[in-house]
Amino acid sequence: MSRTAAPTDAIRKPPQAAAQDEEARLRELGYQPVLARRMGGFGNFAISFSVISVLSGCMTLYGFGMGTGGPAVMLWGWVGVGLFVLCVGLALAEVTSAYPTSGALYYMADRLGGRRWGWYTGWLNLLGLLGAIAGIDYGAALFTGAFLNLQWGFEPTAGSTFLIFLAILLLHALLNLFGVRLVSVLNSISVWWHLTGVAVIVGALAFVPDRHQSAGFVFTEFVNDTGWANPFYVAAIGLLLAQYTFSGYDASAHLSEETSNASVAAAKGIVRAIWVSWIAGFALLAGLSFAIQDYTATQNSATGVPPAQIFLDALGTGGATALLLVVIVAQLFCGNAEVAAASRMVFAFSRDNALPGSAIWRKVSGRTQTPVPAVWLAVAVAALLALPSLYSATAYGAVTAINVIGITPAYAIPIYLRLRAGDRFTPGPWSLGRWSKPIGWTAVVWVAIVTVLFCLPQKAPVTVDTMNYAVIALAVVLVLASVWWYVARRSYGTPTAYGTAREEAEISEGIV
């Protein structure tokens, strides 16, 4: 389906020559290289795979899925959503190959559609990435509370969970300050941790319990605890589990300025991360669903985390504790990778003067070549996004929806603009060829559908506690972006080619 560069291109050249070609390409796109290009192709794939993290998304929203369609929607929804997301990833990979920059989606949109397209794409992408940090790390905090409950009888509350969440955010900020090489190493470990972890969990749940649910239950059981009467509506909002998990693969694009042979490696990283996660996630969801012993008791688990109850009922306290540790470590890997991706987006957007205080957020450490202020801003905003969890039991679902409705439209915009450009678009060394249009239009239509779906209320009746606040977050960001446009529109812009005195001065000011 894809084609790669000819033997004379960078893909067949020695690593040093390929790296030099990428630096030259970056200058052609308008930017002076300031980040360290120390990540290989596997590391680039690993960051998107780590951000997708089936051991984070599937596990943290499993309880949500149990009440919004149950096993049938979780399993078949995973299959269907995965197929459509693969189309989105393929189409996005093609555009990434042509524009391998840290700005990624908004830079692509700017080049293909103009400044306003880039502006709003950037703000949506930023909202999604920051929402993802909040969702991932808060999920890790929930599972840490469940672990402490099993091990020491700790009773997790909203306040204690939020404190754990803040500690995890701080850990991820500090890890990201050490530089991209450490991030790359951690992500490479993360791939094997995730794959081994899924195999261990599924194997343990398959062979240890004396009793399993039937295949009929796992693949056809429909459960509706939402308060909505329409089963199609319930099944539709139940797709959030899969769509939330299948997000964040733009991380490969955001790390392209730190990846060797990025024009090919970043594109491949996106696609590989999706299909490997598709297979691993299906195995995980099936393994969990077959091992449920008591459905109602699992939903109302004292641990606050239904998968922990599945482990407990199937394996006992010792086995459950061990598997929870496997999941928590995977979630920590995931959150760390997401902070890396989001901070690069903050850096890139600030480099083009799109954010308030851009002169601060685009600064790069001269020692580690890491955008230090951008890292701190990313975790600080993520903490603010999760604040409603202190007051609302349904806030976590809203945070995950913020991630989906922010980042998913941002994926489709450059794809749509590439389709609109037609022959004016010059593909990079990784292209879909004649499949570009059918795959691209499938991706755009799918994104339009899910964006509407996840703005809808998830519980009935709709009250202050059950409202889907994701739509409010989306509206606030769009209003902020529109207002700030009139303030910053004269200074915002992606360069057409690197080398003007103004650009050189700004870059030199950004390295500290």
Side-chain angles (χ1 to χ4, degrees):
M1 184 173 291
S2 63
R3 64 173 176 82
T4 52
T8 55
D9 288 334
I11 190 171
R12 295 290 183 87
K13 293 181 180 179
Q16 185 176 4
Q20 291 172 348
D21 286 352
E22 291 295 343
E23 303 291 36
R25 175 58 179 153
L26 187 60
R27 288 186 175 90
E28 289 175 6
L29 295 174
Y31 298 112
Q32 168 69 4
V34 296
L35 300 176
R37 203 174 287 274
R38 296 170 181 165
M39 183 175 285
F42 184 82
N44 186 276
F45 147 75
I47 192 165
S48 281
F49 182 76
S50 296
V51 172
I52 292 175
S53 181
V54 295
L55 286 175
S56 179
C58 291
M59 301 295 277
T60 52
L61 282 187
Y62 191 84
F64 172 86
M66 291 183 76
T68 51
V73 172
M74 284 193 279
L75 269 296
W76 293 115
W78 183 267
V79 173
V81 170
L83 179 62
F84 286 114
V85 168
L86 185 59
C87 290
V88 178
L90 286 165
L92 185 63
E94 181 178 51
V95 189
T96 297
S97 180
Y99 303 108
T101 72
S102 294
L105 309 180
Y106 88 85
Y107 181 89
M108 302 170 197
D110 186 288
R111 278 290 181 267
L112 293 168
R115 295 172 71 235
R116 282 210 186 213
W117 280 104
W119 178 268
Y120 283 100
T121 301
W123 279 94
L124 286 170
N125 191 196
L126 188 59
L127 171 67
L129 288 167
L130 297 174
I133 297 174
I136 292 163
D137 281 2
Y138 194 84
L142 288 171
F143 271 74
T144 302
F147 171 80
L148 296 174
N149 176 268
L150 288 180
Q151 192 69 21
W152 293 290
F154 171 81
E155 292 297 332
T157 64
S160 60
T161 300
F162 195 80
L163 290 176
I164 297 171
F165 165 68
L166 293 178
I168 293 172
L169 282 177
L170 178 61
L171 170 66
H172 287 153
L174 294 175
L175 288 174
N176 270 272
L177 297 183
F178 283 99
V180 75
R181 180 162 291 171
L182 176 61
V183 172
S184 182
V185 169
L186 291 174
N187 288 331
S188 297
I189 296 171
S190 171
V191 171
W192 301 112
W193 186 275
H194 273 82
L195 294 176
T196 304
V198 169
V200 169
I201 291 170
V202 173
L205 294 178
F207 293 108
V208 175
D210 295 327
R211 174 183 172 272
H212 290 89
Q213 298 290 343
S214 66
F217 173 87
V218 171
F219 293 102
T220 65
E221 183 70 14
F222 182 86
V223 180
N224 178 12
D225 295 330
T226 65
W228 297 108
N230 190 316
F232 295 103
Y233 181 88
V234 175
I237 61 176
L239 298 178
L240 176 63
L241 182 153
Q243 188 65 48
Y244 167 68
T245 305
F246 278 120
S247 63
Y249 43 85
D250 58 315
S252 289
H254 288 295
L255 272 291
S256 58
E257 289 185 33
E258 295 159 89
T259 302
S260 299
N261 195 22
S263 297
V264 173
K268 287 185 174 181
I270 291 170
V271 178
R272 286 174 178 169
I274 293 170
W275 70 256
V276 173
S277 299
W278 194 14
I279 296 170
F282 183 83
L284 179 63
L285 290 172
L288 287 168
S289 300
F290 273 111
I292 294 173
Q293 303 297 306
D294 184 322
Y295 203 92
T296 302
T298 298
Q299 285 181 292
N300 300 312
S301 173
T303 65
V305 178
Q309 193 63 46
I310 294 175
F311 295 161
L312 188 61
D313 293 342
L315 309 173
T317 303
T321 303
L323 292 190
L324 273 177
L325 274 177
V326 171
V327 173
I328 291 167
V329 172
Q331 291 172 338
L332 293 177
F333 278 130
C334 174
N336 189 64
E338 185 61 39
V339 169
S343 62
R344 270 52 175 189
M345 173 60 197
V346 171
F347 158 76
F349 217 26
S350 298
R351 179 172 59 182
D352 291 327
N353 295 304
L355 296 179
S358 286
I360 299 173
W361 313 124
R362 65 172 173 247
K363 290 184 182 295
V364 176
S365 167
R367 182 175 61 85
T368 63
Q369 291 179 276
T370 299
V372 173
V375 170
W376 287 115
L377 180 64
V379 296
V381 175
L384 292 175
L385 285 176
L387 271 177
S389 64
L390 290 169
Y391 312 101
S392 171
T394 60
Y396 182 65
V399 169
T400 57
I402 287 171
N403 170 221
V404 172
I405 68 171
I407 208 166
T408 308
Y411 291 157
I413 292 172
I415 297 171
Y416 165 73
L417 293 173
R418 178 261 176 275
L419 292 168
R420 192 180 72 167
D423 293 338
R424 291 185 290 108
F425 172 75
T426 303
W430 195 99
S431 171
L432 296 174
R434 69 180 185 275
W435 292 97
S436 184
K437 287 185 178 179
I439 290 176
W441 283 115
T442 300
V444 170
V445 171
W446 172 249
V447 168
I449 292 171
V450 297
T451 301
V452 173
L453 280 182
F454 301 132
C455 288
L456 300 175
Q458 299 163 351
K459 293 278 189 180
V462 179
T463 66
V464 172
D465 290 331
T466 63
M467 181 177 175
N468 185 351
Y469 290 96
V471 69
I472 295 178
L474 178 63
V476 168
V477 166
L478 290 176
V479 169
L480 176 62
S482 298
V483 171
W484 191 248
W485 168 259
Y486 289 100
V487 175
R489 68 184 185 277
R490 289 186 177 84
S491 59
Y492 163 73
T494 59
T496 54
Y498 174 73
T500 68
R502 172 178 174 271
E503 287 158 357
E504 290 180 4
E506 286 182 349
I507 290 293
S508 63
E509 288 173 5
I511 301 177
V512 294

